[in-house]
Amino acid sequence: MGTIAIGAAIAALASLGAGVGLGIATGKAVESIARQPEAAGKIQTVLILGGALAEATAVYGLVVGILIIFILK
């Protein structure tokens, strides 16, 4: 049971990477909008698309972690 929990925890680390990536991306988007306010619409669109992809990665990690726990039980 211990190795299953370790495997699930490693799979859940995908959410850590997604959180860090979203934080960096949001900071850079704010800097970009501050420098060029007229491009805010395009920057926001790209930020939302990138954020959705990063969150999808986190959800995949969560699903893999849950599958590891319940299938390898």
Side-chain angles (χ1 to χ4, degrees):
M1 183 71 179
T3 57
I4 294 173
I6 292 171
I10 291 172
L13 285 177
S15 61
L16 178 67
V20 171
L22 280 173
I24 292 171
T26 303
K28 296 294 183 177
V30 170
E31 288 178 15
S32 299
I33 292 172
R35 290 182 185 171
Q36 291 185 325
E38 65 275 2
K42 288 183 179 181
I43 295 168
Q44 184 179 12
T45 302
V46 172
L47 175 65
I48 290 171
L49 181 61
L53 292 173
E55 285 299 323
T57 303
V59 170
Y60 294 148
L62 175 67
V63 169
V64 168
I66 291 172
L67 287 174
I68 288 172
I69 290 172
F70 289 116
I71 291 178
L72 298 178
K73 201 172 194 181

